[in-house]
Amino acid sequence: MTVVLVGLGLLLLALLGAPLFAVIAAVALLGFHGQELDLSIVMIEFYRLADMPVLVAIPLFTVAGFLLAESQAPRRLVRLSDALLGWMPGGLAIVAILTCALFTAFTGASGVTIVAIGAILLPAMLQAGYPRLFALGLLTTCGSLGLLLAPALPLILYAVVAQHAGGAAVGVDDMFRAGLLPALLMILMLGAYAVWQGRRLPPRPPREAKGWQEVRAALLDVAWELPLPVIVLGGIYAGWFAASEAAAVTAAYTLILTVVIRREVNLRALPGVLRESMVLVGAILLIFGVSLAFTNYLVDAEVPARVFAFIREHVDSKLAFLMLLNLFLLLMGMCLDIFSATVILVPLLLPIAEGYGIDATHLGVIFLANMELGYFTPPIGMTLFIAAYRFNVPIWTLVRACVPFFLILFAAVLIITYVPSLSLALVR
Amino acid sequence: KIATLAPEGTAWMREMRAAGEAIQTRTEGRVELKFYPGGVMGNDATVLRKLRVGQLQGGAFTGSELSPLYTDAMIYGVPFLFRSQDEVDAVRKVMDPVIVRGLADKGLVVAGIAGGGFAYLMSRQPIRGRDDLVAAKAWLPQGDVISSVTYEMAGVQPVPLSIADVYTSLQTGLVDTVANTPAGALAFQWHTRVRHMVDMPIAYLIGIVALDKRTFDRLDAADQAVIHEEIQAGIVRLDAQTQRDNIAARDALRGEGIEFFEPNAEEQAYWQSIGERSAQALVEQGTLGAENFRMMMAELERVRGGASDAR
Amino acid sequence: MSVARKNAWAGALHRLEDGVLALAVFALVLLATASIVLRTGFDTGLPWLDPLLRMLVLWLAMLGAMAAAREGRHIGLDIAARWLPALAARVVRMLTYGFAAAISAILAWQALRMVRDEYEIGGIAFASVPSWLAQAILPFGLAVIALRLAAAAFRAPTPPADGIPGH
Ligand code: NA
Ligand code: NA
């Protein structure tokens, strides 16, 4: 009874606008208190932030994103994509979808995509005349698009965890191949919606230079920015850099580019831009830190194990299990970060799912697809907050903006769930 | 509540769970062991913090992971020291009790020490000699002073990481050279990220199951004995399994296309000289207890002398 | 102290804070780049560099979170705030930010206990930097956040006219 009341109280506080980190921390503190454990565990977990090498990439990519957004880079990007894909309805939107998917494939969906790329693409899309809600929804959705594309870390992590959990042979390469078609399905479905939306755009004013000449001019215009995707994509895919190293090179290059070469961020404005970028990093990592503590409480209290015991007792058909699985994973994807979710849930899920005759590799794709959706599931999907923050709009606006995209990707997730061959065709 | 980095489904976790069940039955439910595998409780430093505040009552650690509490817990990590399992077995009979006493002073009850086997250097690029190693991005187990000094002696600048972060760092290219037992490399999936192995044992790894003394002392003597017996029995089963696993793992690594490289006598002598100089430096700077080190070397001499007498 | 003097002090403090933050960002970019140059260009590196970078991320996060708290800009829902009349919004603000300040204070206290424990044990973070020093930003930062959120609780919320939530 008290538990329910306290829970409702915290939910009310969250809905009334209490800083989210405080709400999550309160749940973790209360949880550990209920287990009669030392409350400093919350901070011991928080301090794990300093133990994660992957995290170094976040402030570095964030700084780069803020600097680029502050410069004229978005305008140049629009010009180029206009020259290349301007003939096509929804061209820029498709550029946005592809860029975000590729970027997320190696940054993981830690919100970096929205921070670094979303903020450049939003002004670009608005300039190109896309409706504001459409642009916001698309970019928020794209914040986690690409989780199923190799070499995304979650694919690897799933293979590692699954191999130990079920004894089933799930290779990293299997997951890379299995994720490809489902990822393309999501990209295609979003792309089709973008084209359909693009048809309703007002006719563009005729440009002076056209065709290849404009492409060439636009390319020259972005000549200094062009090395960036090469550093980031080429550097990592070709194995020149580690992800955190690519982030460092990107940040250093962007700093020199915007301040020294282009001079579009002047020295007096620079500290302000750096500060703003770190305010975002601070706000995100504060939540991530306390959510580590919250996750640890769930692990300590064996909550996931209990939920699964309950499921095993009450569900007997494969179809019903899959349906329940989707709902459950959506909920978990909304609450947990993907890495914790994988480490905690997969070992519990796998034996049960195999009991219902579900392939371990297919389960991995279902799992990650749901997590991807969970990222922007209202009301507490993580990218909703990051996007609201970065795009400077109320959460409520974003929730509305995301509805059509959520429905499209939810349909994709259902197809992925109930058509196993989509995941398994390239594996076997 | 016991945390371990070993993932669910490994032989280690199977035996630990079996030991846990036996303990629960024999103590009629007075002692129940709950395991948190796969590093969900955090890395070694985090687990030690959680032992202190009482969230956990035990953990499985490597020797070097316990070295911040008691440096000689990592004494078998002295590089290029042992040449065979027999040498290790003999030395451990003498030195294991020393480690147990040392950790007891720090509030940890050692329930058992498992032999992990010999660690080998594995890498993405071939390491045929000193220069190759200097150019590598080598992993340094965080807080592992012995490896740190050894790398320093060899002129290598390693990247310090907790073992939990090694796989992702191999994946992202932050490190490209690691050391582990063949079975360990398979269990952590590192074999998918390396192509070469230097076929010369670097050091001997142990796994220490350590329990919080405050909690342990609250149990009655009979129950304490049961815990010791069952964990020890589990470890005996494990040790046999581990030795088989390591042999099988070598074949598995070969099967995965990993190339084995055996250094020639000259290279071996060079590495051994590095080992000796490192050990000397470690004793001089007081990282390893001089007394204990002498004791270990004396026993090693005795075994080797005995072996040569027999010949 | 007069209001003007007080504001001047606060202004100077905030500028100092922003300066430290900007410097820390520069340090992060420089050190991370230096690490790559040393490794790829000279086949060498500094063993303390990677742990230092990781610690710097934690410090940057806390400094950033402190700056966010200064302006009451933490990530949170803003559904109710948009629909409430001014007076109710003030009360709600006091409630939610007061709550957050209290939680931050508890976290600061727990962080201080962790730092004290680490000090006694004498753990090393990297090189000769003790772990307790690396952790020290946590109690300090959370205490500052608690104070700032408490102050923000009594300020009237500016309605988020499509502005930053809670701004
Ligand atoms: Na979490
Ligand atoms: Na999530």
Side-chain angles (χ1 to χ4, degrees), chain A residues 32 37-38 40-41 44-45 47-48 51 53 151 153 156 160 163-164 172 241-243 245 296 299-300 302 343, chain B residues 1 7-9 34 36 40-43 46 49-50 53-55 137 161 165 167 171-174 187 189:
Chain A
F32 284 120
L37 288 171
D38 193 306
S40 70
I41 296 167
I44 292 177
E45 281 291 324
Y47 183 61
R48 285 173 72 182
D51 277 336
L153 221 49
I156 301 160
V160 172
Q163 198 136 34
H164 294 299
V172 173
F241 298 128
E245 291 178 337
N296 189 250
V299 172
D300 190 286
E302 296 174 301
V343 173
Chain B
K1 288 201 242 164
E8 191 76 88
K34 261 195 228 168
Y36 294 87
V40 287
M41 281 293 176
N43 66 17
T46 310
R49 280 184 201 116
K50 290 178 167 186
V53 300
Q55 184 186 13
K137 296 181 187 176
L161 291 170
D165 294 317
Y167 183 86
Q171 154 70 21
T172 59
L174 191 61
Q189 296 279 303

Side-chain angles (χ1 to χ4, degrees), chain A residues 332-338 371 374-375 382:
Chain A
M332 285 293 146
M334 192 172 77
C335 301
L336 298 174
D337 75 277
I338 194 158
M371 288 291 131
Y375 268 98
M382 190 66 191

Side-chain angles (χ1 to χ4, degrees), chain A residues 53 76 224 333:
Chain A
R76 297 192 182 95
W224 282 109

Side-chain angles (χ1 to χ4, degrees), chain C residues 22-136:
Chain C
L23 277 179
V25 177
F26 269 119
L28 182 76
V29 176
L30 261 177
L31 290 172
T33 320
S35 159
I36 302 170
V37 172
L38 284 176
R39 209 172 277 153
T40 54
F42 301 91
D43 280 343
T44 175
L46 301 164
W48 44 264
L49 206 51
D50 287 290
L52 172 64
L53 286 177
R54 273 174 259 153
M55 190 198 84
L56 212 52
V57 171
L58 180 76
W59 281 60
L60 274 172
M62 288 314 290
L63 287 170
M66 282 160 57
R70 189 206 294 169
E71 293 147 27
R73 280 171 59 183
H74 275 289
I75 297 177
L77 300 171
D78 63 337
I79 303 167
R82 291 173 65 77
W83 295 327
L84 289 175
L87 183 65
R90 265 200 99 128
V91 174
V92 162
R93 169 86 162 196
M94 257 187 236
L95 201 68
T96 54
Y97 273 64
F99 160 77
I103 294 291
S104 304
I106 296 174
L107 291 179
W109 171 242
Q110 296 304 335
L112 190 66
R113 292 185 52 222
M114 174 178 72
V115 172
R116 259 192 342 219
D117 188 42
E118 201 71 31
Y119 181 80
E120 278 164 26
I121 293 296
I124 295 291
F126 56 88
S128 54
V129 177
S131 305
W132 71 264
L133 195 62
Q135 293 176 347

